[in-house]
Amino acid sequence: MASMPRLVLEAIEPVVDGGAFAAKRVVGEDVTVTATLFGDGHEQLAAELLWRAGDGDEWQRVAMEQLPNDRWRARFPLTRLGRHQFVVEGWLDRWGGFRRDFRKKVVAEVAQPVDHAEGRAIVAEAIARMTGDVRKQLAGLLPRLESASEADSVTLLLSDELAQLMATADDRPFRIVSAPALVDAERVEARFSSWYEIFPRSITEDKARHGTFADVIGILPHVRDMGFDTLYFPPIHPIGTANRKGPNNTLTPGPDDVGSPYAIGSPDGGHDALHPELGSFDDFRRLVAAAHEHGLEIALDFAIQCSPDHPWLKEHPGWFAWRPDGSMKYAENPPKKYQDIVNVDFYAPDAIPGLWNALRDVILLWVAEGVKTFRVDNPHTKTLPFWEWMIGEVRSLHPEVIFLSEAFTRPTMMYRLAKVGFSQSYTYFTWRDHKAELTEYIEELTTTAPKEFYRPHFFVNTPDINPHFLQTGGRPAHRIRAVLAATLSGLWGVYSGFELCDAAPLGPGKEEYLDSEKYEIRPYQARRTGDIVDDITLLNHLRRAHPALQTHLNTRFYATDSDQIIWYGKPAVGDGALAEMIMVMVNMDPHNAHGCTYEVPLWQFGLPDHGTIAVEDLAKGNSFQLHGKAQTIHLTPDEPYRIWRFSLPKDAS
Amino acid sequence: MASMPRLVLEAIEPVVDGGAFAAKRVVGEDVTVTATLFGDGHEQLAAELLWRAGDGDEWQRVAMEQLPNDRWRARFPLTRLGRHQFVVEGWLDRWGGFRRDFRKKVVAEVAQPVDHAEGRAIVAEAIARMTGDVRKQLAGLLPRLESASEADSVTLLLSDELAQLMATADDRPFRIVSAPALVDAERVEARFSSWYEIFPRSITEDKARHGTFADVIGILPHVRDMGFDTLYFPPIHPIGTANRKGPNNTLTPGPDDVGSPYAIGSPDGGHDALHPELGSFDDFRRLVAAAHEHGLEIALDFAIQCSPDHPWLKEHPGWFAWRPDGSMKYAENPPKKYQDIVNVDFYAPDAIPGLWNALRDVILLWVAEGVKTFRVDNPHTKTLPFWEWMIGEVRSLHPEVIFLSEAFTRPTMMYRLAKVGFSQSYTYFTWRDHKAELTEYIEELTTTAPKEFYRPHFFVNTPDINPHFLQTGGRPAHRIRAVLAATLSGLWGVYSGFELCDAAPLGPGKEEYLDSEKYEIRPYQARRTGDIVDDITLLNHLRRAHPALQTHLNTRFYATDSDQIIWYGKPAVGDGALAEMIMVMVNMDPHNAHGCTYEVPLWQFGLPDHGTIAVEDLAKGNSFQLHGKAQTIHLTPDEPYRIWRFSLPKDAS
């Protein structure tokens, strides 16, 4: 009965699923931990935050401060990569409670001799249970207290010196300790990076000549000038010939058709090999090195499926599912079949541990080649325990490795993949082109449970997704989507062609690209009349210059009276009163101009409704002031957005 | 690695704190259980809900139905009082998945012989692992399948007969089972009751004559006529004389002053004794029996504190805290002291188990005397493990016993007390007299975590709380608060005097009553000119007649354009399309009339915005129709509320 804890410790944050998974942070950030701690009556409580990086480390401690409504708070710094643990400890602070009550009585002039005696009794108890230095010091203080005048006794009982000794001697009655919670400290690129996707074989001036890693080196300056930091390739492995797909996903390829790089594996090798026409391992290493010199990193695709020509089918038939007639079980979603692709079976007879280890070793091979970022294809069709185990294994050796989950499925699964270890995730952003639905989606990501573990990577397009909005909205639509992606999230991505406003669909109502690079070589073009390279360059520059643009978590929406004009602000990460905020306004209609009255969030700066805010237009470079909370604006498709920096006017500070 | 579960089972509802505490329901209700269950890929899953009443019972099972977004749902009935358990079980439904995919292929006319063979292989596996009847039946089917024509094979493979056999033979691969969750089934009065509070000693025509239990019997018909079902008494135990308080909480009582009944204990006895002037145990038993005859139950106060004259101080000094000079530790909140009251110390040297058992035995004594409902005074100043243990002990013997928590403190503690076992709780309702704050509070109670465990008891006043709103708002204010309390929650309470609009405060700005019954006898009056007994009688009548008014959980707020006029609806509990709803509109300003345009929630009945709803005015008895979504109304302080029954017009259904 009395063994149940007297104190209650609950609602600790950040905790993901009761501590089963890690909250995601990056090195250099502080983790702010809050907890609810309370007990019966008016007792004084105390709390400490304990944390450590890695299992073997010593726990470090810091006192928590008490906030209203039984909340407590403290912070700890993330100074190195990897898994961290923290716990919260609370207890009944007997001396603190005595001191608090005694001080009130002294102030009210009602302290009695028995109140002094009560203090001495607590000190005597502490002496009885201590040894060493603290005991010696307390034992020296007690006779002083006993023989002191009333005034001296008050001074001594309320002294910081005694409080400190009593804290050291505290036996922490009714101590309660939370279950350990986990935090992953990743490198900053897990939260903030700008991706550019190309098919290396398309880096050629001529469709007839297969691009190479050497060719890719040639465009690195251009990619870097646009401000990207991550260059991502679809699979670069040998491509199977069995059931090869032709242009536009046809089933009748010609002899020169290059096939889909997602049909991985041929007699030249599988996931651990390079497509011979792209180059050798030496060529690849030269490319990785050149990219690093340009401040770029290479991200690779991890697509687990195999072409029917993949060496594993012969070497490890026990990793696959076979049918009663001895045929392969192809990927299928009945009645559809995908006959250029075979899936491994994670629970096949020989799969554990053979297949699981082999897949992990593929990742470790590319990590050894200098690749630290992997975009994972369709992880939701592979078993979750594999991801949890594999990512854990890789990150225990290489905590700098980042995995991006390319799962477009139900939210439960997308969130779960993030929990089991994916640093970043594809999202529904691509299809959220109305103000209300985009606002609702961002608020789900920034204010509900996923904020602790789900980092949204906002791709404006992908080789598989040519959004209807871009197909029909032309250049204004591309600019609108670029601004939204680049300013709403710390992570955004562009699949090449987007910057040229290439958006021809395979057919009416189709979301695929016409003449998709997945099935053919499309010679790369850096610039074109009417491209939006300048917008992208500006956006990436602003993202580097302003930490406020390096996360989605700080996004706050403000009111406009137009359902076409979205308006949000992002304060800089950090503590203290708001001194500046990046503000973004976008007309989400690529076809029509819209005006609105919008609300200037003066209150965020502590200003009254008639106050004045200084505005720097970060796109145009000019500065001005806005007076008062209600303002009007007109945004045309030719100038569909504003990016402003709000700050307190110099004379107001 | 592969020992991690392949399937994910999460977000099970109702679950309180991961299963640490019970969700609260009442006998006769169904418990609707929902859960999220999913896995990788496109596999077919299946789920069952298992439940039992009591530890020793057999688990009962029911299949769960699949809803969108990986949600699953099933229900189980509560047919008896007490603690119930449930778990959710999910697994990969191999035969169900085969059947689903095979049917698609058959429909698309692409089924191949190997697809039939795959079905037979699954059947053969089932035969291999089964024994007995099912094995025999499956073994009989297999040769029929093997020799069947294609058409017959299709029919048999898709047959319900085979599906049923395969379900019985299912080895439930990748089975996952949730942790057990708890549900407490209480009697309906835990959720729906109407309380009336009196000081029995005041049931007298003359201040000089102490009222008795026999006197209380005399007013039972009046209490019952007002529609109350629970008659609640402050403590009825002997009252101490040491440091007795005089009228209006003065420290200088006269010799005839009766003292506060909360100063429990005298040489006549303690918590297990009756105040001699109220009557004997026989008198009390007669009162309990008479109350039952009138359809009323008696609720007692459980106030743990002791007067300095309580027998326990001498008999069990080890249950109390003593100071270094040998004096009592009085209740205090420095620099305030409450010298007529001494608190027991739940962690004093002899407290465990002596004190804890003694307190439990006090409750068991009154239960044996026919009292099944206890209002507990200030439970938040007593240790939580005591409540969890004591309520558990009492309810394991007497699951019909109801405890009401009288804690006015921080929400964390108020909610925790409900979690550890209190069936009902006092609330902040008494101080929520503005529309916005009351709406926000009700929405917190009906849509966030507390909805599963916290039953709000809306008292309009108490002997300690004479709200400013009632002091200043006169008769209209009393009617307003009565309507709000009686229609917002299934639980409401009136402390006598409220119905007479007695609201004289102790002084300006004070929340206490003048000449409080806590310190003196105030002869009871049943009616008075200008009382609101008719309103209360109507409200209690409507509450009995309409199940929609027997819970707070179904409250939905609708729009009006006045911040003084609150407007809400309560659909009847149960499934199916909305056929009727009780609607309440209240002008929350007791001083001024207000008009508004309000929204008729036609959409709740499946009606268009120009539709027609039938209205029965439940207060006045007349009927009419409302056409269209926007309506206007004017509410004066003399007629501050409407209670309507909305239903589909007869000709529309």
Side-chain angles (χ1 to χ4, degrees), chain A residues 392-412:
Chain A
E393 289 266 300
V394 171
R395 290 176 50 83
S396 71
L397 297 167
H398 306 286
E400 73 280 16
V401 174
I402 290 170
F403 291 92
L404 163 62
S405 159
E406 187 251 11
F408 294 110
T409 180
R410 303 176 305 285
T412 48

Side-chain angles (χ1 to χ4, degrees), chain A residues 3 11 19 36 44 53 58 69 78 122 161 188 228 344 362 428 430 450 465 475 490 526 544 565-566 581 631 652:
Chain A
S3 66
T36 293
Q44 175 78 39
E58 286 275 306
N69 275 324
L78 297 172
I122 302 173
E161 176 199 359
V188 69
F228 292 106
V344 297
V362 165
Y428 303 132
T430 327
I465 310 172
R475 186 170 187 269
R544 279 176 205 270
I565 299 181
I566 196 168
M581 189 153 46
Q631 300 287 337

Side-chain angles (χ1 to χ4, degrees), chain A residues 568-609:
Chain A
Y568 49 92
K570 304 182 69 121
V573 185
D575 291 332
L578 219 52
E580 71 164 66
M581 189 153 46
I582 307 299
M583 305 296 305
V584 181
M585 184 174 288
V586 184
N587 172 7
M588 297 185 70
D589 179 353
H591 305 289
N592 301 292
H594 289 275
C596 74
T597 299
Y598 65 96
E599 193 171 56
V600 178
L602 294 168
W603 69 92
Q604 300 273 21
F605 297 85
L607 295 172
D609 285 1

Side-chain angles (χ1 to χ4, degrees), chain B residues 339-350:
Chain B
Q339 291 212 329
D340 65 333
I341 284 173
V342 178
N343 282 321
V344 297
D345 178 351
F346 286 88
Y347 296 99
D350 302 339

